Amino acid sequence: MTTVDASVRAGIGTSPRRPDGTLKVKGEFAFSSDLWHEDMLWGATLRSPYPRARIRGIDLTAALALPGVHAVLTQRDVPGAKRYGLEIVDQPVLAIDEVRYQGEPVAIVAADHPETARRAAGHIAVDYLELPPVTDPEAGELLRRVPVRTGDPHATADVVVTGEYQVGMQDQAFLGPESGLAVPAEDGGVDLYVATQWLHVDRKQVAACLGLPEEKVRLSLAGVGGAFGAREDLSMQVHASLLALHTRRPVKMVYGREESFYGHVHRHPATLRYEHGATRAGDLVYVRARIVLDGGAYASSSTAVAANAATLGVGPYEVPNVDMEASVYYTNNPPCGAMRGFGAVQACFAYESQMDKLAAALGMTPVEVRIRNAMTAGSRMPTGQVVDGPAPVAALLARVRARPAPPPSTLDSRELPGGVSNTTHGEGVVRGVGYAIGIKNVAFSEGFDDYSTARVRLELIAGEPAVLVHTAAAEVGQGLVTVQAQIARTELGVERVTVATADTSVGSAGSSSASRQTYVTGGAVRAACQAVRATLLARVGGADLMGDKIVNAAGMVVADLAEALGDGPVEETVRWRHRPTYPIDPETGQGDAHVQYAFAAHRATVDVDVELGLVKVVEIATAQDVGKAVNPLAVVGQIQGGTAQGLGLALMEEVQVVDGVVRNPSFTDYLIPTILDVPPMAVDVLEMADPHAPYGLRGVGEPPTISSTPAIVAAVRAATGKALGRVPIRPEHITA
Amino acid sequence: MRVNCTVNGEKRQADDVWPGESLLYVLRERLGLPGSKNACEQGECGSCTVYLDGTPVCSCLVAAGQAEGRDVVTVEGLEFGRVQEAFLEAGAVQCGFCTPGLVVAVHDLLARNDKPSDPDIREALAGNLCRCTGYEKILDAVRLAAR
């Protein structure tokens, strides 16, 4: 048996400073939009102004004639696969004879100045024949329907509540725009420096489109300015590479903010129709639900989003009879895909709104009805999967309920609805409190081979033991670089740890999504460290590593660590998997689809100016079970950041699409919460170890985004008495 | 056109500047100072905040020619001190894209008001968007730096 050295400084359970933090505060961290190369050109993209049109012809003459233009390319110039996609290969690299959404790339340009490239794109003459767009998902082509059925489909109950809910299209709104640099290589391949969530899935798609073997497409992670799901799909990767290979010059592409709104997928808008039945005592008897998701023009990760909505669609409750269906459709609206919470967000808004309705019908409090029906360890999901780790649903609700209420607001206008607009001095302001809890699966589901690879090297540098950790896992801001080093310190007892830049010279780490990286890449780093330790011990006939001493089975020191490394470094590469998941039955949704479940509960307190419909969130309290807080400061950071994104969906964030056209593609018109909008956020972190996970940890990133939205809406309902079946809430929904 | 200005205490000159370029573009692409960030290029996010003659501005909204003969200080030109330390210590940095603009904005706030209340901090930073942190750790950082 080996011991883990818990005493090493800056190991797991501590909050060492981020290794990239100093560069970031000094403005010296190289983000993907900061890259520069001698002799580089700038790329630009011509996008469709129409949500649906046939392309009758493209004339490049005027664009090519502009001084400074080096290439103008269309789909004819794509040497390999003309389409790509995460799950279904359906999205053209550049439009082929038709466009299916506003903003679809049609042609690309390389020029010696970004403005020249943009102007050249404007000189491309495209002859479009506009066609009527399909904008109602239920009139669109079905992409996937996921039924989940258990128990009696015709069950009846004494108390029945129904509701129809709508969720608007949310944008991830990361701050660092899509960008990167493609450098043509002497071997005919390309070196691509890019901000992404998953280097290897990018490489696979880019290589296929370029018609190159994967080894000739080498990706390195450039600094990532946030992700939140929006970097799962390709954006400029193939385009920049095509231009670089065509011009034999390095090509940089940087989207502006407006282009960024067209350059990535959004959260699926949803319509959710629910019926809950319960006994008079308050026990849930059945849930029947139909969820309709607008997938937009291309599949992206829609099929998995629908599966999440369906399998998690009744929430963290025990429900004996479930008849659930989530369906996602193709339309000519912007493509939708991954965003933090991934299908669970939409469902949670509906089922938590229903739980409040049920509480009101039963004469119970919102927390009482939730605790009464809360799932626990050993509960069975509607898919039949047994929740075999801790499920402290009742405890999380009790935690947020027990927090002291925030004090009444002062009459400082900065603390009132409307803020410094000075719209009230307190008159017409009503306080409300709301609760919600959500459930999220961690890591990839439905039988996906979801692994990560870590290479760990232990060696002497200047006579001191040092560790190099190399994975392809994308640091997107969450703090994965810190966590990888913490794990190596804990496992090897060596303080000096460097995490190498993520690139494709090591095996895939899987995606920085689904709250999975600390679990899966963390698991891989731990496993690789354990392999290094075993090799090292075998080298000197030791049984254990105790600090900087190697001891035998009797506890006698057989070598110093430095001595043992004198024969050379020890390096091991390990591909690590979480336990397997399984597909769900296409008719019944039955199956052990998910790896792990995670839970967060919120209590929101709001002040509403009921005359003007303005909402000031006064406080949000969160309780979340994280299994093990590997880095407590980063855990709280994830919880607060995620909670704020849920606040945005509740009150302000929506990509407004009219007849397939985006009306607000800017930060002037698409509003994300500012520091004036986000209230103090108290956080309770529970650490109930999951016996199946490394260190007992549980994915952290997504759960806080899921339940903050319904908690805030519940609080606004409590203040106003309005039904509020749609998010984001607009002032006119309150004053109507 | 040619633009001359003082950047971080040094006389700098940028040649062949297209008149439509912003100060942000000139700093990032012509003067080798990419610390000021390009998140919205519309004056909404504050990521490109620099001092222009001592006043914080969104450098994306300043035409390159407007900087002629003036004094510019970017995040790279600030002395590493209590503000940057506090951001690291408080966990106020995640992806870091908003950080340079916030560091400049907080530097300016504390120069004007060395004991800001929470509402003062919120008002002063209302023009700086952050998508990762939910702002709590940024407030912590400012409180820490002001201590």
Side-chain angles (χ1 to χ4, degrees), chain A residues 438-499:
Chain A
I439 180 170
K440 180 67 183 51
N441 57 321
V442 172
F444 283 21
S445 298
E446 294 188 82
F448 191 88
D449 184 18
D450 190 24
Y451 63 86
S452 180
T453 314
R455 182 183 298 154
V456 172
R457 180 182 173 96
L458 176 59
E459 63 192 321
L460 288 182
I461 295 180
E464 296 292 321
V467 178
L468 180 67
V469 177
H470 190 186
T471 74
E475 165 64 53
V476 297
Q478 79 278 49
L480 189 64
V481 281
T482 325
V483 160
Q484 290 182 67
Q486 290 177 254
I487 290 171
R489 288 192 197 103
T490 292
E491 293 299 330
L492 294 172
V494 173
E495 198 172 315
R496 186 168 161 190
V497 179
T498 304
V499 178

Side-chain angles (χ1 to χ4, degrees), chain A residues 684-701:
Chain A
D684 265 330
V685 173
L686 269 67
E687 295 184 270
M688 301 183 68
D690 179 344
H692 306 286
Y695 309 115
L697 73 85
R698 203 176 285 284
V700 171

Side-chain angles (χ1 to χ4, degrees), chain B residues 54-123:
Chain B
T55 303
V57 298
C58 287
S59 60
C60 72
L61 295 183
V62 176
Q66 288 178 286
E68 177 65 32
R70 298 174 76 178
D71 186 57
V72 180
V73 177
T74 71
V75 66
E76 293 101 330
L78 295 181
E79 197 177 325
F80 189 90
R82 58 178 179 161
V83 175
Q84 294 90 336
E85 270 293 330
F87 268 69
L88 296 173
E89 187 60 29
V93 178
Q94 286 189 32
C95 90
F97 211 80
C98 69
T99 306
L102 274 160
V103 165
V104 176
V106 172
H107 188 268
D108 174 64
L109 166 66
L110 295 182
R112 289 184 285 113
N113 176 358
D114 62 2
K115 287 284 172 283
S117 67
D118 281 5
D120 292 340
I121 298 170
R122 289 182 189 276
E123 197 173 344

Side-chain angles (χ1 to χ4, degrees), chain A residues 113, chain B residues 1 16-26 30 62-65:
Chain A
H113 188 285
Chain B
M1 65 184 196
D16 302 322
V17 174
W18 172 62
E21 288 176 16
S22 64
L23 173 59
L24 175 65
Y25 183 88
V26 169
R30 297 192 182 277
V62 176

